[in-house]
Every structure is written in structure tokens, then in C-alpha cells.
Amino acid sequence: MEWLQINYNYLLVIVLLMIGLWAMIGKNNLVKKCIGMCIFQNAIIMFFISMGAKAGSTIPILNYTKVNGVKTYFTEASMYANPLTQILMLTAIVVGVATLGMALTLVQKIYSEYGTCEEDEILKKIG
Amino acid sequence: MIWPYDFGLLLLVVITAILALNLRDLMGASIVFGTYSFLMCLLWTAMAAVDVAFTEAAVGAGVSTVFFIATAYNIKKEAKD
Amino acid sequence: MEQQYPVLIVIIPMFTAMVLTLAGWFKPAVCQPLAVVGLLGSFLSAVATLTKVSAGGVISYRLGGWEPPFGIEYRVDGLNALVLVMVSLVALLVAIFARKPVEKELGNKISNFYTLFVLLVTGLLGMTITGDAFNLYVLLEIAALTSYALLAMGRGRAYMATFNYVILGTIGACFYLFGVGLLLIKTGSLNMVDIGSILPQLAGSQTVLIAFGFLMAGVWIKMALFPFHGWLPNAYTYAPTATSCLVAPLMTKVSVYIMLRIMFTVYSADWIFNVIQWKPVVMILAVVAILMGSFFALAQRDIKRMLTYLIVAEIGYMVGGAWTGTTAGLTGTIYHIMADGLMTVCLFMVIGSVVYRKGKANFESFKDAFQSMPWTMSALIIGGLSMIGVPPTCGFFSKWYLISGAYQSSDYAFIVALLISSLVNAILFIRIVETAFFSATPSEIPDPHSHHEVDYADSPVSMLIPMWVSALALIAMGLYTGEIVTRWIQPILPGGLI
């Protein structure tokens, strides 16, 4: 139970990875495959963010206190969530949306070519 | 992070993910997927990853949903599964 | 200037791509020369880097001046430098070759094509040169996204084939990213050499093992090793000529390079061959990949499709060679990355020329090809001999190293598979050459008195030159095998191999 309290985020990551993988491989509709792809990528991003988070952590920016109108700046490294993983994931989100755009464009092209978005019907038409 | 809040969000994320995949209506699925992205971004705010959260809100919940709706608009809206 | 060569390799094509987008708006005709100039610059920088590496060992280039474990590092050793030269050379040749086929097949999308083309080369070169695991992921996705767009330009069945590639490619890239994440948890570092220096202390860790599994699964999907090869033949067959000439030789080879990097720089030979016992399984995959690729190639009527199955077989060669765990096998793999890149591009250019002249590339279109396209067919013979493995072409030497490596580690199944594959290649190419030479059936034998003449219509010069450069490079590489192996490959072989 204690393990679960610390690691429940990773459990969610695994559940989402499995859902995404199942949708990408097992679903028949191409748009559903794209949704599965997004969920899959999101799960990986979730994994990276969970890796950098701490209980009660805060955003890594410069903090200050104001005493009699004088600002004193200070940092408290131990309170910060790991910014490295967050920055990495900014890139990953953008990459994910680019891939999604590509995939959905292809879905529309496939629809105009075959008149359907169901994989089995397309395969039947290809023969 | 507040325990019940966090747990409720995690549960909702899984429910919306499964729902987005199982709705027959593609337009509905796109909207539910947008909800999923938005819940994700709430989770990340709770984990002090604010910059990721607002990128996700703009790109994941915003642009992705627009892409999905645009696609669903152009093709047959009923999915077989 | 001289220290900047490593970064110029990547930056020149990147800026060329930006210029191309703008130039394409105003004057599409200027795109191809611009792309050639950009890639030529990249190629020259790669050659300069190679000479620097052979003189002074490993080059470490810090992007933005940040020190390696914190910033992104470009790290060039002999292995990188050779692959960089190969990639930029092949890209340059294809850019020259592409002029006519692109005008014919993609008339109104010329500027888009060259922009994506150069961006794809940027991604591939970046993947090869970078020393940072996450940077590699980003460049992997750049290369993947541009290749999806390029492959989908083929229209018709290309759309569905590319869609499958998008799905599988994303799974592969995400698996790679997941593996990098697990390593980041354990080591706190993204620099490959830095991770490599930390991992020996974590030899027994379960997480490190799982990370290795995910990294390998991701890379194998990307390179289309046997159980994951389903997307490759369709995607490459229905692509436009110029695209398949670029993507087929390069994408899979760069993925093999990444596999070697992960195996021997991030992890160590000692850990892979002594701590975990995966070798028998991977060798079976490699053997099955070779046999499957060869037999499916035999069954094809379309020559381009046949070549795509041969690529699947060649992947088996390289994976098997690297996993024999011998110095000879690894030498063969590294040598074969270069050799296979060159011979695949040579053969695809030949097929592209035939498609350009005759509309498609099945056995029908090869009839009488020797009379009508003598130069093209001669290049086909050189490429075919290299594929079969006849000296002095480089295909022979890579097979020699692979077989001697497999013999040392007593992987006899791999040797048998290699020999069968050579035999199948021989059958395939003899069949093509036979059709091209003696195509007339007895009833069609021309009457010497009648004026039966085949039209002489060889490929345009702009297509023949790159084709012949690659064909001659195959022979030159074969003749200088000893030089290449002792000068560049041997210094970089990791310790811990048999």
C-alpha cells in the first residue's frame, strides 16, 4: 500500500500506455488509432513529468521576500520540481502534435481515396 | 498535491481515455479527447510543471482537438468500433 | 572555422531547407540546384571532419559552449564520421539524381519536395552526429515526420502504407523515449558517454535491463527487423522514385548505427554478452529476417518491391553481425552500413531510371533493356554483383567479415543464412540480367534482314552520373577495404569482444 501511495502515477502511466497501444493496434477506425497514438504519447510525457515531481514541490522560478519595500531574492533548490524533464517534454508535446497533424492529414487523404476510414473495408478495397 | 483531488483526476483521465476510444460518434470522441487533454494539463499543474501544462492546454487540448474536429467534419462521422 | 566543421554538417542543410521554402514561393526551378549546393557543403564538412578524426581522434563539439553532461554535445569518432560521410554522399547523389524524376512525378510540388528532402537529411545527419540521447529523439522525429510526408507523396496506396508507418514509427520512437526516461531516472544524465560511464556501477539493476529492452525494441521497429518489418515493403514501394532512393538506403542504416551506439557506447559489450543472455534470441531474429527477406524477394514480380525485401534481409545481416559479439562481426557490421547504403542507392537509382523511361519496373520493362539503356544496365550489374558479394566490390568484404565473425562465435545458422541469401541474390540478379540481355523469345528473334532496332533511350545524364558515381564507389570501397578497416574501424572497436 505504501508503494502505491508513492508510485500511483507510474501505475497510471502503464494503464494509459496499454490503452494507447491497444487502440493503435486493435482499433479498426483510423481516427481511433490516432486518438490511441495521442494517448500513448501523453502517457510517456506523464512518465517524464512524474519523474521530475516531488511531494509539495513548486515551480522552479526565482522567489523573493519583501521587507519594508526592499526585495530580497532567494532560491530554494530543494523545493523545486526537476525542470529538466519539463523542458524535455515541451519538445515532446510539439513533436506529438506534428505527428498527429501528419496522421490526420493521411486519414483525410485515405478517406478521399477509398471513401471510408475503417481499416477492414480499406483492405478489402485494396484487395 | 492533494490526495483526493489527485486521485479523482487520475480516475477521470482513465475514464475519458477509454470513453474517447469507445464512442461511436467521432465528433463526440474528439470532444471527449479534448477533455482528456485538459485533465492531463490539470494533473501537470498539480505536479508543478506549469509550462508543460499550458503548452498542453494550448497544443494538446486546443490544436489537437481542432485537428480532430476538422477531420471528423470531413469524413463519415460514425465509426464501427 | 576549422573547429566548426561538426556543426556545419547539420546547420548547412537546415538553413538550406529554410531558404528553399522561401525560394520555392518565387522560383521552383531554383530549388534543386540550391539543395545540391547545400548538401555539397554538408558533404565537404563531413569529409573535413573525417580527416580531422583520423588525424586527431575523437572530436567533441559543445553546442552553445555548455559543458558535455549539461549541454548538448556533438561527438564524432571514427564510426560517426564514416556514417556521416556515407549519409551526406548518398543524399548529395540522390539530390542530383532527383531532378528529372521529380519534375515528371511531382510537377507542382517541387519546392515542397526539396524542402522536405533537405530536412530529412538534416535529421539523419543530426541523429548520427549527436551525443545526447534526448537530442537524438528529437532528430529522429524530424527525420520520421519528413519521411512520412515524402513517402505519402506517392498517392494512391502510398497513403495507407504511410499511415501504417506513422503508427509503427510513433510506437518505435515512444519506446525509445521511454527507455531514455528509465535511464534518466537511474543515472540522471542524458549524455551518452556520461551514461556509459555511470552504468557499470548499476550492472545488476532491473531498471537498466528494462531500459535496454525498450531502447532496442524502439530501434528495431525503426529499422524494420524481422517481427517489426511489416510496414517497410509497402511504404517504400509506393513512394515516388526520388523518395525511395533517399529513404531506402539511409533510414534503416542510420537506425543500425543508433543500435550500435546504444549497445557499445551507452551500454558495454561486456554487459550485453556476459550479463544478459539475449544473444541467442536476437541471432534467431536476424537469421529469420535474412531468410524471410530473401524468400519474399524471390516471390516478387515488381523489382522495386523485390529490393525492399532485400533491405529487410540486409538488416538481418547487420543486426546479426553486431550481436555475434566478435570484433570481426562488428567490423563487418560497420563496414556493411556504408557498403549497403551505397549499393542500395545504386540499385534504387537504376530502378528509378527504368521507371522513368518505361513507366514501371517489372520484368516486362527490363526486356531489351541492354540495347536501349546500356549504361544503366551496366550500373545494375555492378550493384548486383556487390549485393551477391563478388570481389572486388565491397559486398564481398562485408560478407567475409560477417561470416568470419559468425564462425568465431560459432553461430553456424547465421553463416548458412548468409550463404543462402547470397545465393538468392544471385538468382534474382541473374534473372533480371537475363531478361535484359536475352529477352526475345524464339518467335520474336529479329530477322537480320528486317530493320528491327531497339530505340536507344538511356537515362538522362543527370541520372547516369550519380548512378555511376555510386557504382564506382562500390568498387573503390572494395579496393580500399584494408585501408578503411585499419584506419577508421579498428580504433573504435570497443573492448570486451572476442
Side-chain angles (χ1 to χ4, degrees), chain C residues 15-59:
Chain C
F15 278 96
T16 314
M18 291 177 189
V19 173
L20 278 174
T21 2
L22 290 175
W25 278 92
F26 303 109
K27 213 170 157 54
V30 84
C31 284
Q32 196 255 356
L34 262 178
V36 171
V37 169
L39 292 172
L40 184 67
S42 178
F43 173 64
L44 292 178
S45 317
V47 172
T49 314
L50 180 68
T51 46
K52 261 187 85 176
V53 168
S54 63
V58 180
I59 301 175

Side-chain angles (χ1 to χ4, degrees), chain C residues 460-477:
Chain C
V461 182
S462 69
M463 293 162 87
L464 275 179
I465 291 174
M467 194 191 299
W468 270 91
V469 170
S470 64
L472 293 177
L474 288 176
I475 296 176
M477 205 180 143

